[in-house]
């Protein structure tokens, strides 16, 4: 099998528009020096049978080595490579390469080239000539034989450094040169020129006018090819470089087109690059707070014509500078930014790096190109999600089977969020619930709901959805997700439409998510004793349950706090205010660094119980008014006034029956684990629905089943209980052992 003659020289010079066939003589996996860096990198020794040279495989080619497709003596075709310089050494990176075939022997007796800058290579094929930019740098100081170097031949033909006077015109600053009797010149250099007839500035008689070369600040010297600090500047040829002196001393800008690098070629060995890509997704500004203070950032994903994908992040000042410039769907040039290893749990693009914008970064709007796609998908069938780990980011596509109405929930920090649940199915025989959060709930959520109401079932593609494991498998959108309705960019769209219309709608499907009719999750009905008996909420996964219970006791001290009413990060601050005067007339927020009028908000600790047990829970401002029937501000005012209505509110709320939704989660306080139970919804009793549920429970008992079905894969109490407790409060006249002790004797 023949190799390309002179192929190593072609690669070294940076070949263009041709394939070079070479042999792999060695392959070595490189260990990452940066913690957390993902992906493999390989160093490969390539040969053309006469010469050999070490190169680096780009990250997208690492799979060829991981799968053992290429190994020692394999024959490959190199299609594209780039050159970089690092630590006075040339680094060659192979960007595109294909496997040709295997070989059982080494072809020829190649000699390895040295890649050190400035080194002359002598191989069997002759001297290795560096690329033009390297030739420019190899020309050192010529003339003057400074610091003991032998005089260069060019010095006899061209003027001295800085365009000085021609030979025999005088010495330094126009004076006569020092008399020498031997061959040594300045610092032991070459022989000095013979004495001239006159001196110059600071010397004797004036030197004769220049005849061929310009003196200092005089006329322009003759054309100079080499020479450091010569007429063309820094040893560059007259016709080289982006900038060169014009006739009047002005600088002429190089108007050559920008060299665009493919996104897939970006690597840690590159210092200068420019990419041209389309913005496929853009996140809103997010804020964070850590030990170093508070900050903000945003990110956007890029896609280029070669299918390369990478994420760009702007922090703080760069967030303010670039956020308004970036528009989703537009094409941009990006340069002068840094590459950092991506964090896999936040960045799921296919590139191992991400771009971080800096103060010197440039982002310029570029002409649109149809060759750059608007979005790129990597779909997985829904049945694959059954074994996909929680937290993974995936792309899925399917036909919408059902869609629920928009609902509003209260987050842990008290803020509200909207969501809409839809059910997707595909030919894999599985369906899954997708939760559209925030703006996705209305766009395209409203359109999806209208299509379903009209008995039409559109195709929906989710790019960048997160896999969850609540009541089975589910998909949730995140800020960087994209939701497309009947996407024309995906060839799977017409295929799914045809499949569903030709009988796919009647195909038996297995749901991966626990969904009720309409798409809403079913809240498990429990009695209070099951919290302790099954260890609900313990571990990493929170539990959401429903119970019918009474409020048996509520603490009437520290039931509310003064909250800040100022706006912080686009929403009400709600941070606890400090009473600066001690009399309740002046309140200060440390987060907002300002005074404001407080809003009293609930943080009510109360005890809920049923026939089986009782447990302490916390109700915040969203649910406590439904339990007590009075706003926190009014109740606080009655307390300060000593109004008897204050005590009446807590007394009247006792033993009222509610349907409550609880969130149970594990918490750690002062190195001690405990169970936290929050009330997230309070509904009044519906005796009609409760009667129906009770009859169903009686039917289960008649069949030998439990009235309250136990949790699947429950945690035995003997494993769950140790180390967990709830804060206990003693009500006068009540017998209470422990929140996890025996059932309370209340009656």
């Amino acid at each position: 099998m023949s190799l390309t003659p002179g192929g190593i020289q072609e690669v070294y010079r940076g070949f263009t528009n041709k394939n070079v066939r070479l042999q792999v003589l060695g392959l070595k996996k490189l260990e990452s020096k940066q913690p957390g860096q993902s992906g493999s990198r390989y160093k490969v020794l390539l040969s053309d049978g006469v010469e050999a040279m070490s190169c680096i495989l780009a990250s997208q080619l690492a799979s060829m080595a991981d799968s053992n497709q290429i190994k020692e003596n394999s024959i490959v075709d190199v299609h594209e490579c780039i050159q970089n310089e690092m630590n006075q050494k040339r680094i060659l990176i192979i960007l595109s390469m294909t496997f040709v075939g295997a070989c059982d022997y080494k072809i020829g007796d190649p000699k390895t080239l040295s890649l050190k800058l400035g080194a002359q290579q002598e191989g069997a094929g002759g001297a290795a000539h560096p690329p033009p930019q390297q030739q420019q740098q190899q020309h050192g100081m010529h003339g003057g034989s400074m610091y003991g170097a032998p005089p260069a031949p060019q010095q006899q033909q061209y003027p001295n450094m800085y365009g000085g006077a021609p030979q025999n015109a005088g010495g330094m600053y126009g004076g006569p040169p020092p008399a020498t009797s031997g061959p040594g010149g300045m610092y032991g250099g070459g022989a000095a020129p013979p004495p001239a007839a006159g001196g110059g500035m600071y010397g004797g008689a004036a030197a004769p006018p220049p005849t061929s070369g310009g003196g200092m600040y005089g006329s322009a010297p003759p054309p100079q090819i080499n020479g450091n600090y010569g007429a063309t500047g820094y040893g560059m040829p007259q016709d080289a470089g982006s900038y060169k002196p014009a006739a009047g001393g002005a600088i002429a800008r190089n108007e050559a087109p920008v060299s665009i690098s493919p996104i897939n070629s970006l690597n840690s060995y590159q210092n200068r690059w420019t990419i041209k890509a389309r913005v496929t997704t853009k996140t809103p500004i997010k804020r964070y707070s850590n030990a170093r203070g508070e900050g903000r950032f945003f990110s956007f994903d890029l896609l280029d014509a070669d299918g390369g994908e990478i994420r760009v992040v702007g922090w703080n000042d760069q967030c303010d500078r670039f956020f308004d410039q970036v528009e989703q769907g537009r094409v941009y040039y990006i340069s002068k930014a840094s590459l950092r290893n991506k964090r896999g749990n936040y960045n799921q693009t296919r590139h191992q790096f991400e771009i971080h914008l800096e103060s010197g970064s440039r982002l310029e709007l570029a002409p649109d190109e149809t060759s750059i796609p608007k979005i790129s998908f990597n779909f997985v069938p829904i049945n694959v999600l059954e074994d996909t780990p929680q937290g993974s980011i995936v792309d899925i596509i399917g036909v919408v089977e059902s869609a629920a109405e928009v609902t509003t929930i209260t987050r842990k920090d008290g803020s509200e969020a909207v969501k809409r649940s839809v059910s997707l199915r595909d030919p894999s025989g599985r369906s899954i619930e997708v939760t559209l959060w925030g703006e996705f709930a209305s766009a395209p959520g409203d359109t999806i709901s209208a299509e379903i109401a009209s008995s039409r079932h559109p195709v929906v593609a989710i790019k960048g959805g997160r896999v969850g494991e609540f009541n089975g498998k589910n998909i949730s959108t995140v800020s960087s997700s994209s939701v497309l309705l009947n996407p024309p960019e995906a060839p799977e769209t017409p295929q799914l439409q045809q499949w569903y219309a030709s009988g796919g709608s009647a195909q038996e499907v297995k749901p991966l998510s626990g969904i009720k009719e309409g798409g809403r999750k079913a809240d498990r009905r429990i009695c209070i004793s099951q919290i302790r008996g099954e260890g609900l909420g313990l571990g990493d996964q929170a539990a959401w349950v429903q119970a019918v219970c009474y409020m048996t006791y509520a603490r009437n001290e520290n039931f509310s706090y003064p909250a800040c009413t100022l706006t912080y990060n686009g929403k009400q601050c709600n941070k606890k205010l400090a009473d600066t005067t001690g009399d309740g007339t002046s309140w200060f927020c440390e987060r907002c660094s300002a005074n404001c009028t407080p809003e009293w908000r609930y943080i009510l600790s109360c005890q809920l119980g049923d026939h089986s047990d009782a447990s302490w829970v916390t109700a915040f401002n969203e649910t406590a008014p439904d339990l007590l029937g009075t706003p926190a501000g009014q109740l606080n005012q009655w307390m300060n006034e000593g109004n008897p209505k204050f005590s009446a509110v807590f007394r009247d709320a006792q033993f009222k029956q509610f349907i409550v939704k609880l969130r149970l989660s594990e918490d750690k306080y002062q190195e001690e684990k405990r169970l936290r139970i929050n009330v997230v919804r309070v509904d009044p009793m519906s005796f009609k629905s409760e009667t129906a549920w009770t009859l169903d429970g009686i039917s289960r008992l008649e069949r030998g089943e439990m009235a309250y079905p136990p949790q699947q894969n429950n945690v035995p109490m003997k494993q769950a209980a140790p180390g967990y407790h709830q804060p206990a409060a003693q009500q006068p006249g009540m017998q209470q052992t422990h929140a996890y002790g025996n059932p309370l004797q209340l009656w």
Side-chain angles (χ1 to χ4, degrees):
M1 192 175 295
S2 61
L3 305 178
T4 301
I8 292 298
Q9 292 293 329
E10 295 286 347
V11 173
Y12 189 85
R13 294 191 182 99
F15 65 93
T16 57
N17 299 325
K18 62 187 302 185
N19 295 333
V20 178
R21 179 158 297 182
L22 302 172
Q23 184 179 30
V24 177
L25 297 186
L27 198 64
K28 178 181 179 182
K29 187 173 184 178
L30 301 178
E31 298 295 334
S32 173
K33 298 182 180 179
Q34 302 181 10
Q37 180 172 348
S38 59
S40 304
R41 300 300 295 269
Y42 286 89
K43 185 177 183 180
V44 60
L45 182 64
L46 299 177
S47 164
D48 62 3
V50 177
E51 296 173 313
M53 180 174 60
S54 294
C55 304
I56 302 293
L57 292 184
S59 57
Q60 64 267 23
L61 300 179
S63 60
M64 300 177 67
D66 290 335
S67 62
N68 208 29
Q69 182 181 14
I70 59 171
K71 51 189 177 181
E72 188 173 348
N73 295 331
S74 295
I75 307 300
V76 295
D77 280 346
V78 177
H79 310 296
E80 185 179 1
C81 68
I82 59 173
Q83 303 179 13
N84 290 303
E85 298 176 3
M86 180 178 291
N87 299 327
Q88 298 299 315
K89 189 175 181 180
R90 182 171 300 280
I91 305 294
L92 291 104
I93 304 171
I94 306 299
L95 300 179
S96 179
M97 182 177 72
T98 55
F99 174 75
V100 177
C103 185
D104 298 330
Y105 57 92
K106 182 173 73 172
I107 300 176
D109 186 19
K111 296 182 179 180
T112 303
L113 296 179
S114 172
L115 298 179
K116 291 184 178 180
L117 298 181
Q120 291 186 354
Q121 317 298 339
E122 293 295 338
H129 302 286
Q133 63 268 28
Q134 181 67 16
Q135 296 179 18
Q136 299 165 13
Q137 297 176 2
Q138 285 183 351
H139 293 305
M141 288 187 177
H142 294 293
S145 24
M146 186 171 279
Y147 300 103
Q154 290 85 348
Q155 187 64 19
Q156 300 176 6
Q157 184 178 356
Y158 301 114
N160 295 325
M161 294 171 61
Y162 298 103
Q167 285 183 328
N168 303 331
M172 184 176 290
Y173 300 106
T180 57
S181 57
M186 183 178 290
Y187 301 108
M201 187 178 293
Y202 305 110
T211 58
S212 60
M216 182 174 288
Y217 304 107
S219 57
Q224 180 170 336
I225 298 177
N226 302 319
N228 213 25
Y229 305 103
T232 56
Y234 299 100
M236 297 176 64
Q238 261 193 329
D239 57 347
S242 300
Y243 300 90
K244 61 182 181 180
I251 300 299
R253 183 174 179 176
N254 183 8
E255 300 296 340
V258 179
S259 177
I260 303 300
S261 300
I263 287 179
N264 286 333
S265 71
L266 299 182
N267 58 82
S268 57
Y269 298 99
Q270 286 179 281
N271 296 324
R272 298 179 181 179
W273 45 263
T274 299
I275 60 174
K276 182 180 182 181
R278 187 186 305 276
V279 178
T280 57
T281 60
K282 175 187 175 183
T283 68
I285 294 178
K286 300 180 181 179
R287 304 192 181 263
Y288 64 91
S289 178
N290 54 29
R292 292 179 292 180
E294 298 179 344
R296 60 209 173 275
F297 71 97
F298 85 109
S299 65
F300 55 95
D301 294 346
L302 296 176
L303 181 67
D304 68 2
D306 296 327
E309 194 176 22
I310 196 169
R311 176 161 296 176
V312 183
V313 184
W315 300 90
N316 299 321
D317 292 344
Q318 312 316 320
C319 175
D320 299 337
R321 175 185 171 192
F322 291 106
F323 182 79
D324 293 333
Q325 297 185 34
V326 178
E327 297 182 28
Q328 186 170 340
R330 306 294 293 272
V331 179
Y332 295 89
Y333 293 115
I334 297 180
S335 60
K336 299 184 179 179
S338 61
L339 288 175
R340 301 184 189 179
N341 291 318
K342 74 174 183 182
R343 295 177 293 176
N345 51 337
Y346 297 104
N347 183 351
Q348 296 295 329
T349 58
R350 294 188 293 271
H351 208 287
Q352 72 176 105
F353 297 103
E354 62 185 16
I355 298 173
H356 285 234
L357 299 174
E358 299 177 338
S359 58
S361 298
R362 298 185 62 181
L363 187 145
E364 300 176 359
L365 188 64
D368 201 347
E369 288 188 8
T370 56
S371 60
I372 303 179
K374 294 183 178 180
I375 196 167
S376 175
F377 294 104
N378 186 24
F379 293 124
V380 297
I382 294 179
N383 64 337
V384 174
L385 301 178
E386 198 166 4
D387 300 320
T388 303
Q390 180 182 2
S392 301
I393 303 296
V394 297
D395 300 348
I396 66 169
I397 188 171
V399 179
V400 180
E401 187 72 13
S402 63
E405 296 299 323
V406 174
T407 58
T408 302
I409 67 166
T410 302
R411 292 194 178 102
K412 194 174 181 180
D413 60 358
S415 62
E416 293 185 344
V418 295
K419 68 171 186 174
R420 185 194 297 270
S421 297
V422 300
S423 177
L424 297 185
R425 64 184 300 179
D426 68 1
S428 67
R430 299 291 188 271
S431 68
I432 193 167
E433 179 189 6
V434 177
T435 303
L436 307 177
W437 290 95
E439 60 182 14
F440 295 123
S442 55
D446 291 343
T447 306
I448 295 173
S449 181
E451 291 283 303
I452 294 297
S454 302
S455 300
R456 292 188 294 268
H457 296 270
V459 174
V460 169
I462 312 290
K463 179 176 176 61
R466 177 178 287 132
V467 178
E469 291 184 351
F470 181 69
N471 282 352
K473 293 286 187 177
N474 55 77
I475 298 291
S476 296
T477 60
V478 294
S479 59
S480 59
S481 301
S482 296
V483 182
L484 288 85
L485 188 65
N486 296 320
E489 301 88 353
E492 293 84 356
T493 299
Q495 299 173 10
L496 285 170
Q497 291 172 336
Q498 182 180 2
W499 164 78
Y500 194 82
S502 60
S505 58
Q507 178 180 331
E508 184 179 355
V509 63
K510 176 184 176 181
L512 300 183
S513 309
I515 310 173
K516 277 188 175 180
E517 183 179 355
R520 181 175 172 180
K521 292 188 180 76
D523 295 327
R524 181 192 173 202
R525 171 69 69 87
I526 67 165
C527 57
I528 299 299
S529 63
Q530 288 177 279
I531 297 177
R532 176 174 65 93
E534 299 181 10
L536 298 178
L538 303 183
D540 297 332
Q541 188 70 39
W544 302 74
V545 296
Q546 186 185 72
V548 175
C549 52
Y550 303 87
M551 188 175 74
T552 59
Y553 179 71
R555 290 176 178 168
N556 58 6
E557 66 276 357
N558 299 325
F559 62 88
S560 64
Y561 73 98
C564 176
T565 55
L566 300 177
T567 301
Y568 182 80
N569 286 348
K571 60 183 179 181
Q572 185 169 320
C573 175
N574 287 337
K575 198 76 171 178
K576 185 177 180 179
L577 298 176
D579 187 356
T580 56
T581 59
D583 57 2
T585 58
S586 179
W587 301 91
F588 181 77
C589 178
E590 294 183 356
R591 174 191 279 180
C592 302
S593 300
N595 293 316
C596 70
T597 302
E599 175 193 8
W600 291 91
R601 296 176 63 87
Y602 274 114
I603 182 170
L604 179 67
S605 180
C606 60
Q607 193 177 62
L608 300 181
D610 62 7
H611 65 281
S612 65
D613 203 347
S615 186
W616 284 93
V617 302
T618 302
F620 294 98
N621 205 60
E622 292 74 25
T623 55
D626 296 326
L627 293 173
L628 296 180
T630 305
Q634 182 67 67
L635 198 59
N636 188 74
Q637 180 182 348
W638 288 342
M639 180 187 66
N640 294 332
E641 296 173 351
N643 194 316
K645 292 181 179 180
F646 173 74
S647 300
V649 168
F650 287 91
R651 183 177 61 251
D652 295 342
Q654 286 183 322
F655 300 108
K656 284 187 176 180
Q657 199 172 26
F658 302 95
I659 302 175
V660 296
K661 182 176 180 179
L662 305 174
R663 183 182 188 272
L664 302 89
S665 60
E666 182 181 301
D667 189 20
K668 181 179 284 189
Y669 179 72
Q670 294 183 349
E671 302 302 323
E672 187 176 12
K673 296 179 181 179
R674 63 181 182 179
L675 182 67
R676 178 186 295 274
I677 305 178
N678 292 338
V679 181
V680 297
R681 192 176 72 240
V682 177
D683 295 323
M685 281 292 298
S686 172
F687 293 101
K688 180 179 179 180
S689 61
E690 283 306 304
T691 300
W693 189 92
T694 303
L695 292 174
D696 290 339
I698 294 173
S699 300
R700 286 191 289 271
L701 289 174
E702 291 176 344
R703 296 193 300 267
E705 302 173 1
M706 297 182 64
Y708 294 85
Q711 180 186 21
Q712 295 181 356
N713 301 325
N714 61 330
V715 180
M717 186 56 209
K718 61 182 181 180
Q719 299 179 8
Y724 289 83
H725 71 88
Q726 289 183 302
Q730 189 78 13
Q731 181 184 2
M734 282 191 174
Q735 296 181 7
Q736 177 171 339
T737 56
H738 189 276
Y740 281 162
N742 296 325
L744 302 180
Q745 300 174 6
L746 303 177
W747 305 279

